[in-house]
mmCIF file of all heavy atoms in Angstrom:
data_model
loop_
_atom_site.group_PDB
_atom_site.id
_atom_site.type_symbol
_atom_site.label_atom_id
_atom_site.label_comp_id
_atom_site.label_asym_id
_atom_site.label_seq_id
_atom_site.Cartn_x
_atom_site.Cartn_y
_atom_site.Cartn_z
ATOM 1 N N GLU A 7 38.748 123.647 82.245
ATOM 2 C CA GLU A 7 39.680 124.797 82.209
ATOM 3 C C GLU A 7 39.597 125.536 80.900
ATOM 4 O O GLU A 7 39.594 126.774 80.864
ATOM 5 C CB GLU A 7 41.097 124.293 82.471
ATOM 6 C CG GLU A 7 41.290 123.768 83.897
ATOM 7 C CD GLU A 7 42.677 123.172 84.140
ATOM 8 O OE1 GLU A 7 43.331 122.775 83.171
ATOM 9 O OE2 GLU A 7 43.078 123.094 85.315
ATOM 10 N N ASN A 35 54.911 139.993 92.187
ATOM 11 C CA ASN A 35 55.397 139.333 93.402
ATOM 12 C C ASN A 35 54.363 139.220 94.541
ATOM 13 O O ASN A 35 54.750 138.956 95.667
ATOM 14 C CB ASN A 35 56.660 140.022 93.928
ATOM 15 C CG ASN A 35 57.800 139.933 92.918
ATOM 16 O OD1 ASN A 35 57.988 138.927 92.277
ATOM 17 N ND2 ASN A 35 58.548 141.032 92.750
ATOM 18 N N PHE A 49 34.955 128.544 93.753
ATOM 19 C CA PHE A 49 35.658 127.544 92.942
ATOM 20 C C PHE A 49 35.977 128.110 91.562
ATOM 21 O O PHE A 49 37.067 127.849 91.001
ATOM 22 C CB PHE A 49 34.852 126.259 92.836
ATOM 23 C CG PHE A 49 35.221 125.215 93.869
ATOM 24 C CD1 PHE A 49 34.349 124.913 94.897
ATOM 25 C CD2 PHE A 49 36.451 124.575 93.807
ATOM 26 C CE1 PHE A 49 34.682 123.951 95.866
ATOM 27 C CE2 PHE A 49 36.795 123.615 94.762
ATOM 28 C CZ PHE A 49 35.926 123.318 95.793
ATOM 29 N N PHE A 66 53.328 136.121 90.159
ATOM 30 C CA PHE A 66 52.786 136.101 91.510
ATOM 31 C C PHE A 66 52.525 134.675 91.931
ATOM 32 O O PHE A 66 52.489 133.741 91.107
ATOM 33 C CB PHE A 66 51.502 136.935 91.586
ATOM 34 C CG PHE A 66 50.359 136.394 90.764
ATOM 35 C CD1 PHE A 66 49.396 135.564 91.346
ATOM 36 C CD2 PHE A 66 50.213 136.701 89.421
ATOM 37 C CE1 PHE A 66 48.340 135.071 90.604
ATOM 38 C CE2 PHE A 66 49.170 136.216 88.658
ATOM 39 C CZ PHE A 66 48.232 135.384 89.241
ATOM 40 N N ASP A 67 52.328 134.474 93.225
ATOM 41 C CA ASP A 67 52.114 133.137 93.762
ATOM 42 C C ASP A 67 50.686 133.023 94.324
ATOM 43 O O ASP A 67 50.087 134.020 94.725
ATOM 44 C CB ASP A 67 53.104 132.814 94.870
ATOM 45 C CG ASP A 67 54.516 132.677 94.326
ATOM 46 O OD1 ASP A 67 54.661 132.104 93.212
ATOM 47 O OD2 ASP A 67 55.466 133.118 94.991
ATOM 48 N N LEU A 89 37.763 119.819 95.054
ATOM 49 C CA LEU A 89 39.171 120.217 95.029
ATOM 50 C C LEU A 89 39.981 119.229 94.199
ATOM 51 O O LEU A 89 40.806 119.634 93.361
ATOM 52 C CB LEU A 89 39.737 120.283 96.458
ATOM 53 C CG LEU A 89 39.261 121.444 97.339
ATOM 54 C CD1 LEU A 89 39.755 121.237 98.790
ATOM 55 C CD2 LEU A 89 39.766 122.784 96.803
ATOM 56 N N PHE A 104 30.434 128.595 113.197
ATOM 57 C CA PHE A 104 29.002 128.288 113.252
ATOM 58 C C PHE A 104 28.515 128.180 114.686
ATOM 59 O O PHE A 104 27.437 128.694 115.032
ATOM 60 C CB PHE A 104 28.711 127.005 112.499
ATOM 61 C CG PHE A 104 28.641 127.132 111.002
ATOM 62 C CD1 PHE A 104 28.516 126.015 110.187
ATOM 63 C CD2 PHE A 104 28.706 128.377 110.378
ATOM 64 C CE1 PHE A 104 28.476 126.114 108.816
ATOM 65 C CE2 PHE A 104 28.643 128.510 109.004
ATOM 66 C CZ PHE A 104 28.548 127.364 108.214
ATOM 67 N N ASN A 112 22.489 138.198 115.852
ATOM 68 C CA ASN A 112 22.657 138.402 114.415
ATOM 69 C C ASN A 112 23.750 137.457 113.907
ATOM 70 O O ASN A 112 24.890 137.877 113.679
ATOM 71 C CB ASN A 112 23.046 139.866 114.128
ATOM 72 C CG ASN A 112 22.938 140.204 112.654
ATOM 73 O OD1 ASN A 112 22.973 139.329 111.791
ATOM 74 N ND2 ASN A 112 22.839 141.482 112.358
ATOM 75 N N SER A 161 26.119 152.551 100.354
ATOM 76 C CA SER A 161 27.479 152.042 100.385
ATOM 77 C C SER A 161 27.526 150.750 99.569
ATOM 78 O O SER A 161 26.534 150.029 99.491
ATOM 79 C CB SER A 161 27.969 151.789 101.802
ATOM 80 O OG SER A 161 27.099 150.902 102.485
ATOM 81 N N SER A 162 28.683 150.490 99.013
ATOM 82 C CA SER A 162 28.831 149.363 98.122
ATOM 83 C C SER A 162 29.867 148.392 98.618
ATOM 84 O O SER A 162 30.495 148.602 99.658
ATOM 85 C CB SER A 162 29.207 149.873 96.706
ATOM 86 O OG SER A 162 29.314 148.792 95.794
ATOM 87 N N TYR A 182 34.425 140.789 90.288
ATOM 88 C CA TYR A 182 33.579 141.980 90.485
ATOM 89 C C TYR A 182 32.611 142.233 89.311
ATOM 90 O O TYR A 182 31.486 142.668 89.534
ATOM 91 C CB TYR A 182 34.470 143.177 90.667
ATOM 92 C CG TYR A 182 33.874 144.344 91.409
ATOM 93 C CD1 TYR A 182 33.700 144.273 92.797
ATOM 94 C CD2 TYR A 182 33.495 145.506 90.760
ATOM 95 C CE1 TYR A 182 33.176 145.337 93.504
ATOM 96 C CE2 TYR A 182 32.968 146.576 91.472
ATOM 97 C CZ TYR A 182 32.809 146.499 92.854
ATOM 98 O OH TYR A 182 32.273 147.553 93.536
ATOM 99 N N CYS A 203 24.029 126.249 99.967
ATOM 100 C CA CYS A 203 24.067 126.925 101.259
ATOM 101 C C CYS A 203 24.369 125.863 102.310
ATOM 102 O O CYS A 203 23.543 125.028 102.601
ATOM 103 C CB CYS A 203 22.746 127.635 101.559
ATOM 104 S SG CYS A 203 22.756 128.490 103.172
ATOM 105 N N ILE A 218 16.137 140.855 98.184
ATOM 106 C CA ILE A 218 16.797 141.756 97.246
ATOM 107 C C ILE A 218 17.038 141.080 95.907
ATOM 108 O O ILE A 218 16.896 141.701 94.850
ATOM 109 C CB ILE A 218 18.118 142.288 97.847
ATOM 110 C CG1 ILE A 218 17.829 143.148 99.088
ATOM 111 C CG2 ILE A 218 18.878 143.089 96.818
ATOM 112 C CD1 ILE A 218 16.970 144.365 98.820
ATOM 113 N N ILE A 234 22.783 146.779 85.734
ATOM 114 C CA ILE A 234 24.009 147.409 85.279
ATOM 115 C C ILE A 234 24.056 148.875 85.757
ATOM 116 O O ILE A 234 25.107 149.371 86.180
ATOM 117 C CB ILE A 234 24.111 147.357 83.758
ATOM 118 C CG1 ILE A 234 24.269 145.886 83.313
ATOM 119 C CG2 ILE A 234 25.281 148.188 83.234
ATOM 120 C CD1 ILE A 234 24.232 145.675 81.819
ATOM 121 N N SER A 239 25.963 153.393 89.045
ATOM 122 C CA SER A 239 25.681 154.499 89.949
ATOM 123 C C SER A 239 26.722 154.601 91.064
ATOM 124 O O SER A 239 26.946 155.694 91.620
ATOM 125 C CB SER A 239 24.276 154.329 90.569
ATOM 126 O OG SER A 239 24.264 153.274 91.507
ATOM 127 N N VAL A 243 28.579 159.060 91.673
ATOM 128 C CA VAL A 243 27.933 159.734 92.789
ATOM 129 C C VAL A 243 28.199 161.238 92.712
ATOM 130 O O VAL A 243 29.324 161.674 92.687
ATOM 131 C CB VAL A 243 28.438 159.192 94.146
ATOM 132 C CG1 VAL A 243 27.796 159.938 95.301
ATOM 133 C CG2 VAL A 243 28.189 157.684 94.257
ATOM 134 N N GLY A 250 24.607 164.172 103.071
ATOM 135 C CA GLY A 250 25.648 163.880 104.046
ATOM 136 C C GLY A 250 26.593 162.837 103.543
ATOM 137 O O GLY A 250 26.193 161.887 102.851
ATOM 138 N N VAL A 251 27.879 162.966 103.893
ATOM 139 C CA VAL A 251 28.913 162.025 103.478
ATOM 140 C C VAL A 251 29.741 161.590 104.668
ATOM 141 O O VAL A 251 30.143 162.442 105.478
ATOM 142 C CB VAL A 251 29.832 162.655 102.376
ATOM 143 C CG1 VAL A 251 30.922 161.649 102.000
ATOM 144 C CG2 VAL A 251 29.039 163.056 101.173
ATOM 145 N N ASN A 257 37.390 147.654 106.321
ATOM 146 C CA ASN A 257 38.246 146.586 106.842
ATOM 147 C C ASN A 257 38.202 145.381 105.905
ATOM 148 O O ASN A 257 37.150 144.938 105.573
ATOM 149 C CB ASN A 257 37.789 146.158 108.249
ATOM 150 C CG ASN A 257 38.684 145.171 108.886
ATOM 151 O OD1 ASN A 257 39.763 144.899 108.403
ATOM 152 N ND2 ASN A 257 38.257 144.615 109.976
#
Side-chain angles (χ1 to χ4, degrees):
E7 293 175 337
N35 298 320
F49 266 109
F66 65 95
D67 292 321
L89 288 171
F104 282 173
N112 191 339
S161 57
S162 182
Y182 205 75
C203 180
I218 295 299
I234 294 174
S239 72
V243 178
V251 178
N257 185 10

